[in-house]
Amino acid sequence: MNDSNTAHLGAPARRLDVIIVGAGFGGMYAVYKFRELGLAIQGFEAGGNVGGVWYWNRYPGARVDLPSIDYSYAFSPEIEQEWTWKEQFAAQPELLDYINFVADRLDLRKHIQFNTRVTSAVWDEARQLWRVTTDQGDVCEAPICIMATGPLSIPKDPEIPGLASFKGDLLRAAKWPHQPVSFAGKRVGIIGTGSTGIQIIQEIGPQCGELFVFQRTPSFTMPMRNEELTPDYVAEVKRNYKSIREAALNSAVGGVRPTSTRGFFTVTPRQRQSLLEDAWKQGGLNMLGTFSDLLLNEEANEHVAEFVRGKISEMVKDPATAEALKPRGYPIFARRPCLDNTYYDTFNLPTVHLKNCLVDPILEITERGVRLESGEVELDMLILATGYDGLTGALMAFDVVGRGGLTVNEVWKSGARGHLGLMMAGFPNLFLTTGPTGPAALANIIRTSEHDVDWIATAMAHMDAKGLTAMEPTPAAEDRWMAIVAALAERTLVSKAKTWYVGANVEGKSQGLTMFTGGFVKYREYCRTAAEAGYTDFTFEPAREMATA
Ligand code: NA7
């Protein structure tokens, strides 16, 4: 490092090859990959340890909604053999144990600085370097910067007046305390009935003195049918990991689950009913796999929605509560489908009360509780499960400045843009993992993370081999990609619900589906072709001596 090089930009910087922001699944794999390539790396992580969302989301009942076998790294056959999953859908403590096991096993922590939030990343055009600063006073420079900041890392408080005035315990799902929380004998309120709220409600419902569920939009949720994995099953999986991974890579969602080529209206009503009953019994996301057109054909979708509404009536004893729990007005599967164990049964407990905020809206939060139009509900504890500024929130939360002072905030003001979810025009050598214009939340985040890091490594090898740097997509390539994304989004019912997928949960945020909905396997094909075609969608600059010093 030559300090005099950086003097004109302020504090002297530590010179690295690759800076990695975030130590969730994507960031950890990036740290491993680039260390193994012999590069000088530094990871930064705002949390106190590895794990990303699984580090923060310690709320009771937190659990992955993909099979654990799928929701795990594939890059290390050794780790696959050494780690043994206990449950079909692992709970947060098991997931965090796994993540820590990987970090220890590969000795990753020494490359990651924890409790450190990156505050800016600025491209130094003259020197072809990213200059990254943190809230701990670090200043680093590297030709490559990888934003492994994840789609769900900026939690969102509800826009309800008076939140700060509440005198009871205020808990946020996404920043849950590390110490155990007792609900016994307490009047607890929860706002939010997405995946997070549902998991919390079913877990703490039986533990609370009383639980008040403030529900605005009901979610569709289906039985998870979680179970412990038997030693025989685990042994079988360990023998077959190679083919399991292969199947995941070649699937639409980056994971193995039933799919069908059968259209909903190609079979008789009686057959449909029987297929849906079977899928309900099997649990998980089998329901989505019963027919090929459930996210394309609104009428087919409504039949399945009505089937689930019928199940709610069967499970919830009080007809008015059952009615209020039935989602209406948006397609099933357009919001993230939830998987539950005892969610609907929870509402049969005399101590659990559903407050339907569609007909009785929340007016404000007071010192004592939540004031609805119908009156105040006094609470000892209020839990917020009100979601995230998803997909774009993390990168828009700090200054990311590319060529000519261009910021990500400006470029994404009217919605995320980018090429292949991996890069953005105007931001040379800035790579994203699980970026908002890739499959992001619509595919297994671990398969996508591994894919993205591998793609970045291949692109870096290409630059090295050709003596190039400052890689970025051409504006025309980015336009073409966004047109593909938009055309696919037009076809899918996913655009038809107000969700974080389309930015609808954040006031003033640009609306629209920017995620690639063509399926993981097709996404991989686009990325592979972009590389194999000789990176013609990208421009490069010759590496200058100064930048590689
Ligand atoms: P979600 O799915 O965005 O759910 C947030 C919930 O919070 C949802 O029910 C919202 O109701 C509710 N919410 C937000 N603001 C308010 C206000 N002001 N009043 C009442 N209710 C409100 O987040 P999750 O954390 O559950 O899940 C995120 C992802 O994690 C999920 O998709 C999985 O991928 C895992 P609304 O729908 O806005 O009426």
Side-chain angles (χ1 to χ4, degrees):
M1 184 186 85
N2 178 351
D3 286 355
S4 64
N5 281 345
T6 59
H8 65 294
L9 287 166
R14 186 150 66 97
R15 180 67 165 84
L16 300 152
D17 295 320
V18 185
I19 296 169
I20 297 153
V21 186
F25 275 108
M28 279 173 61
Y29 179 50
V31 164
Y32 171 73
K33 179 95 187 180
F34 298 114
R35 183 198 57 199
E36 295 304 291
L37 290 172
L39 299 173
I41 51 173
Q42 179 64 56
F44 291 109
E45 165 58 51
N49 209 329
V50 289
V53 288
W54 300 110
Y55 171 83
W56 296 104
N57 280 265
R58 295 161 187 259
Y59 62 80
R63 193 177 283 285
V64 66
D65 61 3
L66 298 177
S68 324
I69 303 292
D70 273 339
Y71 197 76
S72 54
Y73 284 124
F75 71 84
S76 164
E78 293 80 21
I79 286 176
E80 284 178 340
Q81 294 306 315
E82 289 164 21
W83 180 262
T84 296
W85 288 106
K86 296 194 205 89
E87 286 189 280
Q88 193 193 0
F89 296 93
Q92 181 269 346
E94 189 182 2
L95 285 161
L96 203 55
D97 282 352
Y98 169 75
I99 293 165
N100 278 298
F101 170 80
V102 174
D104 290 338
R105 173 72 171 75
L106 303 175
D107 200 11
L108 300 181
R109 276 195 200 84
K110 65 183 182 202
H111 305 292
I112 304 164
Q113 189 173 314
F114 296 103
N115 301 307
T116 304
R117 196 168 273 285
V118 168
T119 47
S120 74
V122 181
W123 176 246
D124 178 343
E125 204 139 351
R127 298 167 57 241
Q128 297 173 320
L129 292 172
W130 280 98
R131 181 178 172 88
V132 169
T133 58
T134 76
D135 63 358
Q136 300 301 308
D138 306 277
V139 185
C140 293
E141 291 179 338
I144 307 281
C145 182
I146 298 178
M147 296 295 184
T149 41
L152 290 172
S153 34
I154 304 290
K156 211 195 134 285
D157 277 355
E159 280 119 12
I160 303 174
L163 188 58
S165 65
F166 183 60
K167 292 254 163 64
D169 296 333
L170 184 67
L171 298 180
R172 292 172 171 84
K175 287 187 185 158
W176 198 263
H178 289 212
Q179 306 74 31
V181 176
S182 167
F183 308 97
K186 292 192 179 143
R187 288 170 64 89
V188 180
I190 178 164
I191 302 178
T193 50
S195 305
T196 303
I198 284 175
Q199 291 189 333
I200 295 174
I201 291 161
Q202 67 180 5
E203 186 73 18
I204 70 168
Q207 301 174 38
C208 298
E210 287 192 89
L211 177 65
F212 298 86
V213 176
F214 299 95
Q215 170 192 270
R216 192 163 61 185
T217 308
S219 296
F220 286 98
T221 170
M222 285 153 288
M224 179 177 261
R225 311 247 187 255
N226 188 27
E227 53 189 27
E228 282 185 19
L229 300 177
T230 64
D232 283 352
Y233 177 80
V234 172
E236 173 78 8
V237 164
K238 286 191 179 183
R239 276 195 297 278
N240 291 304
Y241 258 127
K242 207 160 181 270
S243 58
I244 292 170
R245 300 311 190 194
E246 200 57 37
L249 287 174
N250 290 307
S251 75
V253 292
V256 188
R257 70 163 193 237
T259 53
S260 172
T261 51
R262 172 178 53 213
F264 187 80
F265 292 108
T266 61
V267 299
T268 65
R270 182 190 279 230
Q271 284 169 312
R272 284 178 219 151
Q273 186 70 14
S274 142
L275 286 163
L276 291 174
E277 287 290 353
D278 282 351
W280 185 267
K281 276 195 205 102
Q282 285 154 11
L285 285 176
N286 282 320
M287 189 81 67
L288 182 54
T290 43
F291 301 98
S292 58
D293 48 358
L294 296 184
L295 274 172
L296 302 171
N297 183 327
E298 221 156 342
E299 207 185 328
N301 183 289
E302 177 54 23
H303 275 274
V304 179
E306 197 47 34
F307 173 87
V308 175
R309 290 185 201 114
K311 291 289 179 197
I312 297 173
S313 281
E314 286 172 26
M315 289 181 286
V316 179
K317 288 189 191 133
D318 173 48
T321 305
E323 213 42 46
L325 284 166
K326 290 179 185 174
R328 296 192 187 279
Y330 68 90
I332 185 169
F333 307 121
R335 295 162 79 92
R336 173 86 170 194
C338 308
L339 300 181
D340 71 280
N341 296 312
T342 52
Y343 182 62
Y344 291 113
D345 296 336
T346 312
F347 290 93
N348 294 328
L349 296 172
T351 48
V352 175
H353 317 286
L354 183 66
K355 297 289 177 187
N356 183 349
C357 302
L358 289 176
V359 296
D360 188 8
I362 300 176
L363 299 183
E364 60 170 339
I365 292 169
T366 64
E367 279 184 26
R368 289 186 303 268
V370 171
R371 187 186 307 285
L372 300 170
E373 214 165 71
S374 62
E376 191 176 35
V377 180
E378 290 190 20
L379 301 170
D380 303 310
M381 179 188 286
L382 178 60
I383 299 173
L384 301 179
T386 43
Y388 297 82
D389 182 357
L391 300 170
T392 54
L395 269 202
M396 292 177 82
F398 63 102
D399 288 330
V400 182
V401 186
R403 268 190 212 288
L406 187 69
T407 67
V408 169
N409 260 298
E410 284 167 56
V411 175
W412 284 1
K413 204 158 52 195
S414 351
R417 291 186 55 75
H419 189 39
L420 300 167
L422 289 160
M423 297 200 83
M424 292 171 281
F427 297 85
N429 290 358
L430 185 81
F431 295 94
L432 315 184
T433 62
T434 68
T437 69
L442 301 176
N444 178 345
I445 212 89
I446 304 181
R447 289 292 74 74
T448 310
S449 298
E450 287 180 333
H451 164 273
D452 291 354
V453 170
D454 289 344
W455 192 93
I456 297 164
T458 308
M460 284 163 59
H462 172 82
M463 287 193 272
D464 262 6
K466 305 264 179 196
L468 299 171
T469 184
M471 169 181 187
E472 67 180 292
T474 65
E478 192 171 285
D479 286 347
R480 278 197 301 277
W481 178 249
M482 293 315 296
I484 292 169
V485 166
L488 287 166
E490 282 271 298
R491 293 175 55 216
T492 168
L493 299 178
V494 172
S495 315
K496 300 221 163 168
K498 291 187 176 165
T499 60
W500 64 271
Y501 286 178
V502 297
N505 65 330
V506 179
E507 236 172 64
K509 186 166 175 170
S510 157
Q511 309 286 294
L513 187 62
T514 64
M515 284 186 286
F516 178 79
T517 52
F520 184 59
V521 65
K522 193 80 193 156
Y523 171 69
R524 287 175 53 236
E525 197 180 304
Y526 275 114
C527 295
R528 189 172 53 243
T529 306
E532 286 173 2
Y535 298 94
T536 49
D537 286 351
F538 299 83
T539 58
F540 298 85
E541 286 176 24
R544 291 171 212 151
E545 207 184 325
M546 192 164 44
T548 53

